[in-house]
Amino acid sequence: MSVLLATVLALALDRLLGEPPRWHPLVGFGRWAAALETFVRRRIGEGVGAGMLAWALAVLPWVGLVAALGRVHPFVEDALEVGCLALAVGARSLREHLEPVRDALAAGDLPGARTRVAFLVSRDTAAMSPQDVARAATESALENGHDAVLAPLVWFALLGAPGVVLHRLANTLDAMWGYRTPRYERFGKCAARIDDALGWPSARITALLYALGGRTGTALRAWRRQAPRWDSPNAGPVMASGAGALGVTLGGEASYGGTRHERPLLGEGPAPGATTVAAAMELVERAVWSWLLLLALVTLAGGGR
């Protein structure tokens, strides 16, 4: 099966079914990783080497299993490719989380908007203004448009089902362990660095697709000038380009755990609003269509699998 056909089928499954309401593989993986963390900490320690071993034990067996099963039969390989990609892509889930925020903002329901955006972000939401809510939702749309939508598509094109599993599990471990806290400063360093490395190519592709889907010149300028100021090497290009493409200003002050943080500004233009959240969802969708067009051109040129 070609990369293009498998990608189309996986996206169709995601749009039709969304994420499994029960027994999602990532939930099981999270429990597996938590048990491994406890075991490794008790037996080996909490240093960088221990974290590296825990990461390898958590991720590599599953990547190897998918690679091995894909060699059993072409039908099994095709089913794994479509199934793994459909489970890794969260386009429908992202939209289902963003739409209630957009609708609440449009209706002037600030308490409802604050409640809904709290499902998307880790920052404090209780005292957010409408602009703060829209900014948080827009940033989440752009960043998760990479992490949960376009990055799996890129890694599938590069390495097939094993690549999808590798990226998705690495990204999940970064969300679990990749914190600069006393508990994870050393133990989670490997998880954070590997996620950065795996996200590097897909983040630049996503930033380019965002730029092509909106105000291209502004997006490219924001990417070049503002992304290096952001603390994440991958979120910076994605959000700077996305903000420029949308013609709004993101970043700025945000509160985490009761502490105010002044973040660099990204993009150019006014503060975001309800319409910006909708525009961000549309930008992610245009990026997906652009990726499919690129895959179609490669397939037609004879370069697809």
Side-chain angles (χ1 to χ4, degrees), residues 10 21-22 30 46 58 78 90 99 141 144-145 148 151 158 167 174 201 203 232 242 260 271-273 281 300 303:
R22 299 178 64 186
E46 302 183 352
D78 292 345
E99 285 177 343
N144 284 293
L158 291 174
H167 171 267
D174 178 59
S232 168
R260 306 294 293 183
M281 290 189 287
L300 289 173

Side-chain angles (χ1 to χ4, degrees), residues 65-77 80:
L65 177 62
V66 169
L69 289 175
R71 298 190 184 98
V72 171
H73 190 277
F75 176 78
V76 176
E77 181 183 21
L80 275 173

Side-chain angles (χ1 to χ4, degrees), residues 18-168:
E19 293 186 348
R22 299 178 64 186
W23 311 111
H24 196 295
L26 285 180
V27 176
F29 174 75
R31 292 171 180 161
W32 162 256
L36 276 174
E37 177 188 350
T38 301
F39 176 81
V40 171
R41 283 181 181 274
R42 287 177 178 173
R43 295 300 182 92
I44 299 176
E46 302 183 352
V48 175
M52 188 178 302
L53 175 62
W55 187 97
L57 292 174
V59 174
L60 297 184
W62 304 111
V63 176
L65 177 62
V66 169
L69 289 175
R71 298 190 184 98
V72 171
H73 190 277
F75 176 78
V76 176
E77 181 183 21
D78 292 345
L80 275 173
E81 288 185 339
V82 175
C84 287
L85 185 55
L87 287 170
V89 168
R92 173 170 167 169
S93 176
L94 180 60
R95 180 171 286 274
E96 287 174 346
H97 280 83
L98 288 165
E99 285 177 343
V101 181
R102 176 203 62 192
D103 294 343
L105 285 173
D109 178 12
L110 181 56
R114 289 169 175 167
T115 298
R116 298 302 307 193
V117 82
F119 291 106
L120 286 164
V121 298
S122 59
R123 69 192 74 173
D124 303 328
T125 61
M128 279 185 171
S129 68
Q131 291 77 21
D132 292 334
V133 173
R135 182 180 297 110
T138 301
E139 291 174 3
S140 182
L142 296 175
E143 189 168 7
N144 284 293
H146 167 253
D147 291 348
V149 182
L150 287 154
L153 298 183
V154 170
W155 276 101
F156 177 70
L158 291 174
L159 295 177
V164 172
V165 174
L166 173 65
H167 171 267
R168 199 70 190 92

